[in-house]
Amino acid sequence: MELISIIVPVYNIEKYIEECIKSILCQTYSKIEILLINDGSTDRSGEICQNYAQIDSRVKVFIKENGGLSSARNYGMEYARGDYYLFVDGDDTIEEDMCQILLEILKKEKAEIVISSMHRGEGKRKKGKIQRYNSESAIKQMLKEKTFNTSAGGKLFRKEVFNGIWFPEDKIYEDLATIYKVFHKAEKIIFYNVPLYYYRKREGSIMQQRFHEKKLDMIGISKEQIEFLKEFYPGLERVAYNRLVRYCISFFKELAQSGERENKAVLVLQHYIKQGYPYYLFSGYKITSKMFGLMVCWNYRIACKIYGYFGMEWKWIIK
């Protein structure tokens, strides 16, 4: 049996880490190692991890200074001994047969990456179907975020596709900056449309808060991504621009909700919406979203007033 390394960053999640570990330990595929990377936790998370390391020899705990999600994942990859990587965030859980199913598909299809659906616990489990992609078509689907997204979670990787690739540290949107490069190194990628990864949407994280300037990391990452696509997949440049504009519009909505009118980020977002709008205008996104983007380009103060007048009725324009 081949070894799967399951890398779990842990930082101040004492309410959730035990449930996460239990979901991994009960896997029907037993040839696993669980690398719990205690990223400088100040609550009981580290203690809980150590308790499980004493119960099951497959659990290994590593303690490091706080460096963030990317730093913890990179640390885990340095010590992983497996033939495959599975990334699980410490506040998420996985289905008990996730490793077995994804590994069987990967070997049968002779693929480098297998992706499962992600869910929030609702609905009945259905019979799964697989979809096959090459690197270009997988990157395209990932950027559109309709079939699967940029998250590292819910994906089983042959370790070779990560050779020379690390998650960028001190940034958010680390998955957006990384997974397309990993897809580029794969010849065959499989999507399995059954939800095997449970993603917990936690309040309080930067990603779930109203606009924060750290979210502008997405712009620099998107620019780097666009340059990469120009070189290797020129047909996908337009798709990447559309994603950039869609997120800038979403950030602008968050700014409008906060009541800020003079935040310097407004001009940055407005600049990139203008730059990518010619692509966005002919995209498949809703006409209402395109209209709102046009208003932002024309006059962001008026766009704020219009947004404020309609309030949350505008929430559907970003979809």
Side-chain angles (χ1 to χ4, degrees), residues 223-238 240-241 279:
K223 288 168 64 179
E224 178 184 325
Q225 186 181 74
I226 287 168
E227 290 304 310
F228 180 92
L229 296 176
K230 281 181 181 178
E231 179 177 357
F232 295 103
Y233 308 102
L236 298 185
E237 178 187 350
R238 179 186 297 267
Y241 265 116
Y279 295 105

Side-chain angles (χ1 to χ4, degrees), residues 1-40:
M1 294 176 72
E2 295 171 292
L3 181 65
I4 297 177
S5 294
I6 304 177
I7 299 171
V8 185
V10 179
Y11 179 70
N12 288 354
I13 47 174
E14 61 180 11
K15 293 181 180 178
Y16 312 109
I17 185 58
E18 190 164 13
E19 185 181 3
C20 174
I21 296 171
K22 285 180 177 179
S23 76
I24 300 172
L25 287 176
C26 72
Q27 289 297 297
T28 55
Y29 185 84
S30 61
K31 188 71 172 178
I32 59 175
E33 63 170 1
I34 307 167
L35 292 84
L36 303 177
I37 315 301
N38 182 0
D39 190 38

Side-chain angles (χ1 to χ4, degrees), residues 25 40 42 55 59 128 246 300 306:
L25 287 176
T42 57
I55 295 171
V59 178
R246 182 168 70 87
Y300 72 86
I306 293 173

Side-chain angles (χ1 to χ4, degrees), residues 294-310:
L294 186 61
M295 283 191 290
V296 170
C297 293
W298 171 55
N299 189 309
Y300 72 86
R301 288 185 177 88
I302 292 177
C304 277
K305 289 180 180 179
I306 293 173
Y307 182 89
Y309 177 77
F310 286 100

Side-chain angles (χ1 to χ4, degrees), residues 183-246:
F183 279 12
H184 172 64
K185 296 181 73 171
E187 292 185 10
K188 191 174 186 180
I189 299 164
I190 303 296
F191 173 67
Y192 180 62
N193 71 335
V194 172
L196 301 175
Y197 188 104
Y198 173 71
Y199 169 75
R200 190 189 305 274
K201 191 173 183 179
R202 268 198 306 138
E203 294 183 4
S205 68
I206 288 179
M207 298 300 291
Q208 303 303 330
Q209 293 171 359
R210 287 190 175 184
F211 184 79
H212 187 288
E213 287 193 4
K214 277 296 290 179
K215 290 190 175 183
L216 293 180
D217 286 351
M218 186 274 300
I219 291 177
I221 289 169
S222 293
K223 288 168 64 179
E224 178 184 325
Q225 186 181 74
I226 287 168
E227 290 304 310
F228 180 92
L229 296 176
K230 281 181 181 178
E231 179 177 357
F232 295 103
Y233 308 102
L236 298 185
E237 178 187 350
R238 179 186 297 267
V239 182
Y241 265 116
N242 287 340
R243 189 186 191 280
L244 172 58
V245 172
R246 182 168 70 87

Side-chain angles (χ1 to χ4, degrees), residues 89-104:
D89 288 351
D91 51 355
D92 297 339
T93 59
I94 60 177
E95 295 287 348
E96 64 180 9
D97 52 359
M98 180 178 187
C99 289
Q100 180 177 339
I101 289 175
L102 295 191
L103 183 58
E104 285 177 356

